[in-house]
Amino acid sequence: MTSAASENSRNRADALPKSWNPGEVEGELYERWVAAGYFTADPASAGEPYSIVLPPPNVTGNLHMGHAFDHTLMDLLTRRKRMQGYEVLWLPGMDHAGIATQNIVEKQLAVDGKTKEDFGRELFIDKVWDWKRESGGSIQGQMRRLGDGVDWGRDRFTMDDGLSRAVQTIFKRLFDAGLIYRAERLVNWSPGLRTAISDIEVKYEDVEGELVSLRYGSLNDDEPHVIVATTRVETMLGDTAVAVHPDDERYRSLLGGTLYHPITGRQIPVVADDYVDPEFGSGAVKITPAHDPNDFEIGLRHDLPMPTIMDETGRITGTGTEFDGMDRFEARVMVRERLAREGRVVAEKRPYVHSVGHSERSGEPIEPRLSMQWWVKVESLAKAAGDAVRNGDTVIHPASQEPRWFAWVDDMHDWCISRQLWWGHRIPIWYGPEGEVVCVGPDEQAPEGYVQDPDVLDTWFSSGLWPFSTMGWPDATPELAKFYPTSVLVTGYDILFFWVARMMMFGMFVSGDPAIAAGKQPGSVQVPFRDVFLHGLIRDEFGRKYSKSKGIGIDPLTWIDEFGADATRFTLARGAQPGSDLSVGPPHVQASRNFVTKLFNATKFALMNGAAPGEIPVRDALTDADRWILDRLETVRAEVDSAFDRYEFGKGCEALYHFAWDELCDWYLELAKVQFAGADGSTAESDERAAHTRVVLGSVLDALLRMLHPVMPFVTETLWRAVTGGESVVIAQWPQATGIATDAAAARRIDDAQKLITEIRRFRSDQGLTDKQKVAARLVGIETADLTGLRAEIAALARLTEPSGGSGDFSATAAVEVRLSATTVTVELDTSGAVDLVAERRRLEKDLAAARKELDSTTAKLGNEAFLAKAPDEVVAKIRTRREVAESEVARIGARLEEIDKSAAK
């Protein structure tokens, strides 16, 4: 290395801040990257494409910790691929979130005593757009703070004109193919929102209710009657049968007959159905087909009437009883009280804890309700989605999630796609004055006098088109030709069915579309993504799922403000393993912040000592430490490449962390200090050795910072530019394999030196010696151990000095034997004058008393048969381990006290 290069390094070290303060630099760095166009994809590029579409967050809110997890992993993938020479598209966007968004705006209107009906549909939708324009930017701001390297020029929104055109196009194609139909079926109904909602918007909670046993039929024990139990007494107003198991002898005489309904007075049939469990309760169940999913299926099998007894707000209606007009919960009480007065309540169990579905948005219990809705016939679509995975066209990572995938797509029920809302994609169905039904495509007009269906589509319908609608489909665009199919979908395993399955179904449906097939190999299967990486849920450090409703929701900006984006991202990526949940909290992020600080300080130290990357000298000219760190770098590079290619982000981050902290900082930098200290101009050899070490150190830092960049973009950008003087690590080349054989001999010598230094340091610690106290020592056997070339490094790092007056007059007061790879080195030390033996004895005696107390305590517990019989195995195992440690400490401290006594006797 030239003196000019070293001087440049020192100047760049001076230009770095005194310490790393992420809040002062992250925003400026990010906007510089965007302005430079580093994240802008070029469809005309000759580079191999790599593309990811961002799972669109809801426009209604902010990014939560799950989003930060997702985004970190996607940014890691795309930054690395960009450095590997791929033409990368990471396409961002947001979902219009039909229910959530409309709910927010309606609540705002309610503050002024207004409803959406006061404005009408068009004006209300205008107000929603106004809200979106005012509030939609918060998520983008968070993404910038996190460091998302997305192509902002291609930002998409599911209600944009282009995406709306895609929705209308695929609806018509599905309709024309007979895959969309209208039918009265049971749905999840939210009375508060007055719409059907999807399964993913239903959250099940254990609630305390009551189980009421009711008597149907005659009150005379000698006449036909049955006992049924229910937690929803009010639904009996819609009962159209009582069902029993066909083999249940108790009710054989009732089959084919009818029973008196105690409220309506109707006679309802007794039917036999295998669904009924004869061992549960009385073995008889009431059947309310319009308000229970299982009852609905029984109603279909037995062709039962299906009266709907609640309106859209959850009020009883159409029963012809005194309960009409009552809220469902009020009716529950009033019906039970009437039945009790008539002697038909046989038993009540309160409280009765059972699982009840609640609307995620309104928080109320959902109501299974028979309703006329639009549906997608999924059988053929689901089969294609399943076959794509079976055939390997799409690969799920980890493979352990495949059974869940097949369980869903192989047994999928038709999908309710209509919602009774105003905000969303309007269903493109028009009705004529004589009941005609016309589906209108994006370039078509409805006949005059026709009226459009009032419902909108389920949000998941439009987001199911996301991989290709965002790239311009149904038009043939350069983006579709270059970047579709996408490379990988990164998302949590909890929405494998709700979102991933829908994208797969729609993607397979349009796979032969000319706009998508253009430029592709003829006959190739155009799945929406080649890989699906499913990560686990993110939990706090106590294993609880982050949840705002439970008071443990964390805004990622809280961690970014306190610890920086790099520390936040590294924490998330380090804990990411395919399919496994991640438990993290502030202590984990603080540890990552410490790592960022360690990296910053180490790099600044290297630069201050003139380190700079360059052409690596021939191996024979390098020290063992230089060769060892280069070999370790190459091994870690291979480990990181392998891990990241398999989506094992945690494994790759662990390898980088331990290399950077344990090997580069804790060992190589310390060894390099000896080389730098020896470069005092006294010999050309020592100066050349130091120059080589500066090149090696600079080159290792260059490669390490490039490998860390996808995980920790901000600090690595700052440090890499200081180390190399380059434009940006964002566009730097990913480290390549060197092809150089590993120097096993150098690795063995460094390993032996580390063991020797570690044992000497342990001895010094036992003696109570400080780092400032140097001890005279003689290393016996160092030549046999082939460590002569590392004598200076061993002495410096172990704080040893040569015996004064030569080794012949040296008198050792202590010795440490260290077994190395092929021999034993004995370290003879003269600690006289370095250790206060009286103070040391007092300290050791105090430690010995504590160790004996621990030994006595653990021995007593392990000798207590009553304790052993009750204590869990893991508790007993921990106590055994504690006893072993205590025994070891008693022996060690006792031996040291004997050494002190011998020294005192001399």
Side-chain angles (χ1 to χ4, degrees), residues 116-306:
K116 68 180 188 296
E117 286 77 13
D118 292 327
F119 294 90
R121 187 166 191 142
E122 290 186 9
L123 286 178
F124 175 76
I125 291 175
D126 287 343
K127 287 190 172 294
V128 180
W129 276 109
D130 290 341
W131 177 88
K132 187 265 180 186
R133 282 186 283 269
E134 292 172 6
S135 305
S138 61
I139 287 177
Q140 294 180 351
Q142 285 181 298
M143 290 171 64
R144 281 175 144 83
R145 290 288 308 278
L146 192 60
D148 287 1
V150 298
D151 187 342
W152 287 113
R154 290 183 168 86
D155 192 21
R156 297 291 183 264
F157 180 55
T158 49
M159 288 287 287
D160 285 346
D161 289 343
L163 274 69
S164 296
R165 183 166 179 265
V167 169
Q168 195 171 355
T169 298
I170 200 166
F171 186 99
K172 181 170 176 57
R173 292 189 186 181
L174 289 165
F175 181 86
D176 291 345
L179 296 177
I180 286 183
Y181 64 95
R182 192 172 186 234
E184 193 174 40
R185 298 279 182 84
L186 212 65
V187 297
N188 300 312
W189 187 265
S190 171
L193 301 171
R194 288 179 289 172
T195 180
I197 60 176
S198 68
D199 290 341
I200 199 172
E201 290 157 335
V202 178
K203 302 301 179 185
Y204 286 87
E205 303 172 11
D206 286 341
V207 299
E208 288 189 357
E210 60 180 359
L211 182 66
V212 182
S213 296
L214 307 174
R215 181 168 178 143
Y216 282 51
S218 175
L219 290 172
N220 188 334
D221 290 344
D222 296 328
E223 296 177 354
H225 67 277
V226 296
I227 305 299
V228 300
T230 180
T231 57
R232 299 199 302 153
V233 180
E234 72 282 3
T235 63
M236 73 172 300
L237 298 170
D239 288 349
T240 57
V242 170
V244 298
H245 193 275
D247 298 330
D248 195 332
E249 294 293 337
R250 293 172 295 176
Y251 303 112
R252 185 168 299 278
S253 63
L254 296 180
L255 289 178
T258 62
L259 289 172
Y260 172 79
H261 189 284
I263 296 289
T264 66
R266 295 192 304 268
Q267 292 291 324
I268 59 176
V270 179
V271 299
D273 198 280
D274 289 332
Y275 166 77
V276 181
D277 180 2
E279 303 298 325
F280 183 77
S282 67
V285 295
K286 56 189 266 335
I287 305 301
T288 318
H291 294 278
D292 182 274
N294 297 314
D295 292 3
F296 176 75
E297 296 298 328
I298 293 175
L300 289 177
R301 287 195 290 271
H302 297 277
D303 195 24
L304 298 174
M306 298 186 181

Side-chain angles (χ1 to χ4, degrees), residues 619 623-635 659 662-665 667-669 693 696-697 700 746 750:
R619 280 278 170 134
T623 64
D624 279 345
D626 292 339
R627 281 176 275 178
W628 166 74
I629 198 66
L630 289 170
D631 289 345
R632 287 298 304 136
L633 175 69
E634 174 59 16
T635 299
F659 172 77
D662 301 342
E663 297 179 308
L664 178 63
C665 295
W667 283 107
Y668 183 70
L669 282 182
T693 296
V696 170
L697 177 54
V700 169
I750 292 296

Side-chain angles (χ1 to χ4, degrees), residues 613 697-707 720 723-724 729 732 735:
L697 177 54
S699 299
V700 169
L701 282 171
D702 170 22
L704 174 63
L705 292 169
R706 281 184 280 153
M707 286 192 287
W720 185 85
V723 168
T724 66
V729 70

Side-chain angles (χ1 to χ4, degrees), residues 538-611:
I538 187 165
R539 302 178 181 275
D540 70 5
E541 64 267 42
F542 306 108
R544 301 173 301 180
K545 182 180 177 181
Y546 279 111
S547 168
K548 290 182 180 179
S549 63
K550 295 181 180 178
I552 51 174
I554 297 293
D555 185 339
L557 293 187
T558 301
W559 283 1
I560 292 174
D561 289 340
E562 184 173 358
F563 305 108
D566 292 321
T568 300
R569 291 166 57 110
F570 189 76
T571 301
L572 297 172
R574 188 181 181 186
Q577 296 297 348
S580 299
D581 289 353
L582 166 63
S583 292
V584 291
H588 300 89
V589 198
Q590 180 60 61
S592 296
R593 170 62 200 245
N594 294 343
F595 178 51
V596 173
T597 301
K598 183 87 167 179
L599 189 68
F600 180 85
N601 292 339
T603 305
K604 192 168 185 180
F605 166 82
L607 291 172
M608 291 172 62
N609 282 275

